[in-house]
Amino acid sequence: MPTLTRAEAADRAAVVDVEEYHVDLDLTADGDTFRSRTVVRFRARAGAATFLEFEPAEVASMTLNGAEVPSAASTGARLELTGLAEENELVVDALMRYSNDGEGLHRYTDPADGRTYLYQHLFINNAGRVLPSFDQPDLKASFRVSVTAPADWVVATNGMLARRDGGRWEFAPTQRISTYLASLIAGPYHVVTSEHDGIPLALYARAALAQHLEAQAPEILQLTRQSLDRFHEMFDIRYPFGHYQQAFAPEFNFGAMEYPGLVVFRDEMIPRSKVTDSERERRANIIAHEMAHMWFGDLVTMAWWDDLWLNESFAEYLGSRVTAEATRFSDAWTTFAMQRKAWGLRADQRPSTHPVAPSEVSDTDEALLNFDGISYAKGAAVLKQLVAWLGDEAFLTGLNAHFEAHAYGNATLADLLGALSKASGRDLSGWAEVWLRRAQVNTLRAEVTRDGADYAEVAVAQTAPDGYPTLRPHRIGVGLYDRSPGGGVVRRKRLEVELEASGRTVLTALAGEPAADLLLLDDGDLTYAKIRFDPESAANVPLLLPLLDDSLARAVIWAATLDAVVDGERPVAELVTLVLAALPVETEVAVVEDVLRATRGLVDRYATPETRPAALELLAQATGRLLAASMPGSSRQLAAARGLIGATTDIARLKGWLAGDGVPDGLTVDADLRWLIIYRLAVLGAAGPDTIDAEREQDRSASGEQWAARCRAARPDAAAKEAAWAAVIGDGTLSNRLAELTAAGFWQPEQLDLLEPYAERYFADMPEMMRVRSGMSAEHIAQVAYPAVAVSARTRELAAGLLGTAGLNPILRRVVQDADDDMRRALHARG
């Protein structure tokens, strides 16, 4: 797909003003193409020239203002137009190609029943794969869509249905929206409808998921209603796009996408097996996140991708906030502190770090790369602190003024800051400069001196990394925690303090205070920073953490501990010992899952091949104790069982669970848990192709197909590895999701001898994969196929060689730069 530069977008916006797209799609033909007839009405500077994004398989006809457009005007990526009038009508009739990479019009055949499903994903610069369009966010237009489809299909778009006659669907024009937000699904989808507060609601999923959608629809619809009500309480403009539909589509590249009127989710969010409460909370958060986009991104859209944070940071912040305030998942901020903020901190310390609001995003390739932990989680954490500083009333007043001023149009950082500054009476330019315009993260370290049993002085030292020397103002909570005579832990005192943008702040209020067993900086998780304990507090963490009642405080402690290990300041063996001591009594399932995920990743890369088996055994012991202590049938029991399956080498126990022997009371070994067991057995060489094929025969679903692909790639067999590698690198017929899962199963720390040649092959072969695939699918595959567990100086040498290649694909360059930095950290930790 072509890259659009910011300069090209600015030049085009100065020439063109788009009014309407009328898109008429015929989806009834066999083969790999569909017909797209598009009428584009737009105003322009008379006599000017411009271009549209357009990637046809075959062009039938093209006219501009009634005159034929020469075929040479279509380059295969763009449609060049000259001699524009003040009022223009472009009519293009063409065949377009279906995709299997999750972009354009993605076509999927469900292995469960052979039925075909489509969804449209025009994200960033893919609109030209469905229709000729001015594909940039500030050229908004109304979309009027008509579709001819097989008679038994269901079709839905952003717009409300106006008429249907058999397989002919005609939809009402939308409000003005950006091209990347134009949505469509088509296929034999199962539909559940409802209504709330005058807003029609609908849910869609594949027919094979019908029973699961019906069972889960009450919860999803309740979350939808609760979120709508909370947004209506906060915002003066009600939900602005008519109906609110949510479709669960197969092989979607994102977790979800905020198409106005028709949000699309990956259909794994309609699980067919038992899931934990934290996974249900994640779905609730995503529902609220995408709904926040109806205002941030859809009603008011960034003018260019440098203001991506106006979409994603706000949706991330509001997703957690609304989930915590309006749904049963009241501990959503604990999950944010444990999972999402850690994602932002890791992204912010990599070579690819960038400001939350960069001053320049040169093209759409760079824009794609900025959909990361900085634009989402760091921006949300920064907003959380801004709200605490401004006050909620001023914050919401500013937002409502912003919506009123720019509804159905575009806005910039300056526009939003102006509205917030006016509402709060504070000049936010200085805040924006250090928090939004400058990259990287500060570290806040407790410095304590004692006078006997009391504090002589407590100070917070703030540092910044070399190359990013910015120090920032912070508002943090400081908690003093003590062991109580009854055996628990109590917070004796908490104060909130303002840290100036200087190197050291003395907390005078604590002078003479009896020294606490644990002094916790950022108690309450108010700021965005790395936290480090004083030595006495660090020594007491293993004793106090298992006894601490406050889940948010535990999350802050766990996150700080994990981050210190990532940085090589604490050994991974110490982390594993803490997991063994504290995790078996952890009650917050989100904390359990994230600690296990993060610790397992660190054990696989930071432990040496000699020490890893012992560390893994301790993880198995910890999860075994957690499993034994968990209530039968609980989310904690399921999380513990998954952790145990991933860590254990007890093949007999795993096979027994498959056969129904020795399964803990209350634990259901359902379809996905069976696959997880088989996957672990495959890694250990105890599940061969016959076992995988037999399970696949019993599970003909899409999930079964994906699990089987991952399991086959995980086997410690030379032929299996070669087949998996060939599929990942060069098989363009393999769908995006199957390719990603094949890559995800490939690298296993238990198989380093077998995999050694593939470390070199990654750097030789991955440029070819980038030619076979593109966009987000290519980025995902490059990430999961990276030899992250081949921790060696040689892997870094190979990375340096590829990075020195002229003309390297920018997506691959960023993936390798960041993965190599992770490798640097792993080697440092081992040393």
Side-chain angles (χ1 to χ4, degrees):
M1 68 194 71
T3 295
L4 179 69
T5 69
R6 182 175 188 168
E8 288 176 318
D11 289 345
R12 186 162 63 176
V15 171
V16 171
D17 183 16
V18 190
E19 297 176 355
E20 181 191 43
Y21 295 95
H22 181 194
V23 187
D24 193 340
L25 303 179
D26 188 337
L27 309 177
T28 58
D30 295 329
D32 62 355
T33 60
F34 60 95
R35 183 185 174 196
S36 170
R37 184 182 186 276
T38 304
V39 179
V40 189
R41 296 186 176 91
F42 62 99
R43 294 185 294 275
R45 192 169 65 232
T50 191
F51 65 91
L52 297 86
E53 282 74 12
F54 184 43
E55 302 177 54
E58 179 182 326
V59 176
S61 64
M62 301 184 292
T63 62
L64 176 64
N65 301 327
E68 183 178 353
V69 176
S71 59
S74 176
T75 67
R78 290 178 173 179
L79 174 57
E80 307 282 351
L81 299 180
T82 59
L84 299 176
E86 290 186 0
E87 300 283 341
N88 299 274
E89 182 178 270
L90 173 69
V91 182
V92 177
D93 195 341
L95 292 181
M96 312 299 286
R97 202 172 303 280
Y98 290 113
S99 80
N100 69 349
D101 61 5
E103 296 171 342
L105 191 58
H106 182 92
R107 183 172 61 177
Y108 174 81
T109 300
D110 191 341
D113 54 20
R115 298 183 182 185
T116 297
Y117 296 86
L118 309 175
Y119 68 81
Q120 179 174 286
H121 187 49
L122 306 186
F123 175 69
I124 288 196
N125 60 338
N126 282 289
R129 297 174 71 170
V130 174
L131 71 151
S133 61
F134 298 101
D135 196 7
Q136 61 190 71
D138 59 336
L139 290 179
K140 286 187 164 183
S142 174
F143 278 77
R144 183 160 58 97
V145 177
S146 303
V147 178
T148 302
D152 62 338
W153 280 21
V154 170
V155 181
T157 71
N158 309 91
M160 302 277 284
L161 180 63
R163 286 175 297 280
R164 181 190 177 187
D165 183 7
R168 180 66 178 174
W169 300 68
E170 296 182 1
F171 297 90
T174 69
Q175 299 279 4
R176 292 176 65 85
I177 60 175
S178 300
T179 46
Y180 78 93
L181 294 172
S183 183
L184 178 145
I185 63 165
Y189 282 92
H190 182 73
V191 188
V192 175
T193 60
S194 186
E195 182 271 343
H196 179 65
D197 196 16
I199 301 169
L201 306 178
L203 306 175
Y204 302 87
R206 289 180 287 123
L209 293 175
Q211 69 181 81
H212 304 295
L213 180 65
E214 290 284 349
Q216 296 169 47
E219 178 178 341
I220 295 170
L221 290 170
Q222 180 187 35
L223 293 167
T224 302
R225 297 181 185 109
Q226 290 169 331
S227 297
L228 279 168
D229 288 345
R230 185 67 186 108
F231 281 117
H232 286 161
E233 291 170 356
M234 290 190 289
F235 299 152
D236 295 339
I237 296 178
R238 284 175 52 84
Y239 171 69
F241 296 105
H243 55 187
Y244 197 83
Q245 305 173 102
Q246 297 170 99
F248 298 84
E251 300 190 323
F252 197 62
N253 273 338
F254 283 1
M257 182 70 188
E258 66 268 21
Y259 305 117
L262 179 60
V263 177
V264 176
F265 301 78
R266 182 181 289 178
D267 68 5
E268 290 160 28
M269 291 188 192
I270 302 294
R272 51 137 183 203
S273 298
K274 186 175 181 179
V275 296
T276 63
D277 275 349
S278 66
E279 289 170 304
R280 291 183 181 276
E281 179 193 308
R282 178 173 177 267
R283 182 171 67 183
N285 189 296
I286 292 173
I287 288 171
H289 174 115
E290 302 307 327
M291 192 179 291
H293 275 306
M294 299 300 119
W295 289 265
F296 283 100
D298 297 359
L299 176 66
V300 181
T301 310
M302 62 203 164
W304 179 247
W305 300 101
D306 51 359
D307 278 326
L308 171 65
W309 81 287
L310 292 174
N311 286 16
E312 299 303 346
S313 297
F314 277 87
E316 182 83 5
Y317 164 74
L318 288 165
S320 292
R321 174 174 172 166
V322 169
T323 300
E325 293 177 352
T327 78
R328 69 182 178 91
F329 302 107
S330 56
D331 289 332
W333 284 119
T334 296
T335 305
F336 179 84
M338 190 71 211
Q339 297 178 357
R340 305 300 287 179
K341 198 166 81 168
W343 176 39
L345 289 169
R346 289 297 306 120
D348 208 11
Q349 297 173 78
R350 290 192 167 114
S352 61
T353 187
H354 58 86
V356 172
S359 58
E360 178 64 29
V361 172
S362 60
D363 57 33
T364 50
D365 280 349
E366 185 179 352
L368 173 64
L369 296 173
N370 285 350
F371 280 78
D372 59 13
I374 297 170
S375 297
Y376 285 73
K378 178 182 179 178
V382 168
L383 284 174
K384 186 183 179 188
Q385 182 167 345
L386 176 65
V387 174
W389 182 43
L390 295 182
D392 204 48
E393 182 178 354
F395 180 70
L396 292 177
T397 298
L399 296 188
N400 281 309
H402 180 68
F403 296 146
E404 182 67 29
H406 303 286
Y408 304 107
N410 300 86
T412 65
L413 167 64
D415 295 324
L416 179 67
L417 292 181
L420 291 174
S421 294
K422 183 176 180 180
S424 65
R426 299 190 184 209
D427 181 0
L428 297 185
S429 57
W431 172 86
E433 176 60 30
V434 296
W435 281 109
L436 301 181
R437 292 298 197 193
R438 299 186 190 179
Q440 262 281 1
V441 60
N442 300 124
T443 298
L444 305 180
R445 192 179 301 271
E447 294 184 347
V448 173
T449 57
R450 299 191 182 204
D451 181 7
D454 299 333
Y455 287 130
E457 182 183 79
V458 176
V460 180
Q462 179 180 176
T463 58
D466 295 340
Y468 298 92
T470 301
L471 299 179
R472 299 174 175 88
H474 296 265
R475 181 180 180 86
I476 66 168
V478 179
L480 303 185
Y481 290 84
D482 298 321
R483 281 170 286 194
S484 68
V489 174
V490 295
R491 184 171 67 190
R492 182 212 322 159
K493 185 172 186 174
R494 182 180 184 274
L495 62 155
E496 290 193 8
V497 296
E498 302 282 347
L499 306 182
E500 299 299 327
S502 60
R504 194 169 189 270
T505 302
V506 177
L507 308 184
T508 56
L510 294 183
E513 183 81 23
D517 292 324
L518 172 67
L519 187 149
L520 181 59
L521 299 185
D522 202 27
D523 194 13
D525 192 43
L526 297 182
T527 197
Y528 173 83
K530 293 154 64 74
I531 302 302
R532 294 294 182 265
F533 302 107
D534 64 277
E536 291 82 2
S537 294
N540 284 331
V541 162
L543 302 174
L544 272 64
L545 183 57
L547 306 174
L548 191 59
D549 288 336
D550 188 331
S551 66
L552 183 54
R554 295 198 307 273
V556 171
I557 293 169
W558 274 117
T561 302
L562 288 164
D563 186 68
V565 176
V566 168
D567 284 355
E569 296 179 19
R570 314 293 294 189
V572 70
E574 184 179 292
L575 171 63
V576 173
T577 301
L578 179 63
V579 170
L580 185 62
L583 200 69
V585 295
E586 177 57 58
T587 57
E588 193 70 28
V589 177
V591 174
V592 168
E593 291 174 330
D594 205 60
V595 168
L596 286 175
R597 178 199 58 77
T599 303
R600 176 59 190 272
L602 289 166
V603 166
D604 286 348
R605 293 180 292 111
Y606 282 32
T608 65
E610 294 76 23
T611 61
R612 180 179 176 274
L616 208 59
E617 173 57 28
L618 290 177
L619 279 183
Q621 290 181 27
T623 52
R625 292 178 186 178
L626 180 65
L627 182 62
S630 297
M631 182 182 299
S634 67
S635 289
R636 197 167 76 134
Q637 183 191 48
L638 178 56
R642 289 171 176 171
L644 177 60
I645 292 166
T648 188
T649 56
D650 188 343
I651 292 172
R653 184 180 196 177
L654 294 175
K655 288 186 173 180
W657 281 15
L658 282 180
D661 298 331
V663 179
D665 290 343
L667 182 67
T668 302
V669 184
D670 53 25
D672 286 321
L673 201 63
R674 285 186 62 83
W675 275 116
L676 187 64
I677 294 169
I678 292 170
Y679 177 63
R680 183 60 180 160
L681 289 171
V683 170
L684 298 173
D690 290 346
T691 300
I692 297 169
D693 290 347
E695 193 70 22
R696 175 74 183 101
E697 189 61 33
Q698 293 299 313
D699 182 8
R700 304 300 302 174
S701 69
S703 295
E705 180 180 49
Q706 293 169 5
W707 268 115
R710 189 173 185 181
C711 290
R712 293 186 186 106
R715 291 179 53 234
D717 175 82
K721 294 299 184 187
E722 184 61 39
W725 192 255
V728 168
I729 296 301
D731 187 356
T733 67
L734 198 63
S735 73
N736 58 330
R737 196 75 179 121
L738 288 176
E740 291 166 22
L741 288 167
T742 299
F746 188 85
W747 288 98
Q748 303 293 339
E750 291 87 350
Q751 303 166 5
L752 291 179
D753 289 344
L754 176 63
L755 293 169
E756 184 179 5
Y758 290 95
E760 190 156 345
R761 289 180 65 175
Y762 176 93
F763 300 101
D765 295 349
M766 202 51 57
E768 174 60 27
M769 188 279 293
M770 302 299 297
R771 286 186 282 272
V772 174
R773 299 183 181 275
S774 62
M776 187 154 286
S777 177
E779 182 183 12
H780 288 167
I781 292 170
Q783 288 171 339
V784 295
Y786 196 86
V789 297
V791 179
S792 70
R794 175 59 179 160
T795 305
R796 294 207 67 203
E797 291 173 4
L798 293 166
L802 181 61
L803 292 172
T805 304
L808 185 65
N809 181 290
I811 294 175
L812 182 57
R813 179 177 297 280
R814 176 156 169 178
V815 168
V816 173
Q817 281 179 330
D818 287 350
D820 179 61
D821 188 62
D822 289 345
M823 186 71 66
R824 174 188 64 80
R825 290 172 178 271
L827 286 168
H828 170 70
R830 288 189 178 188

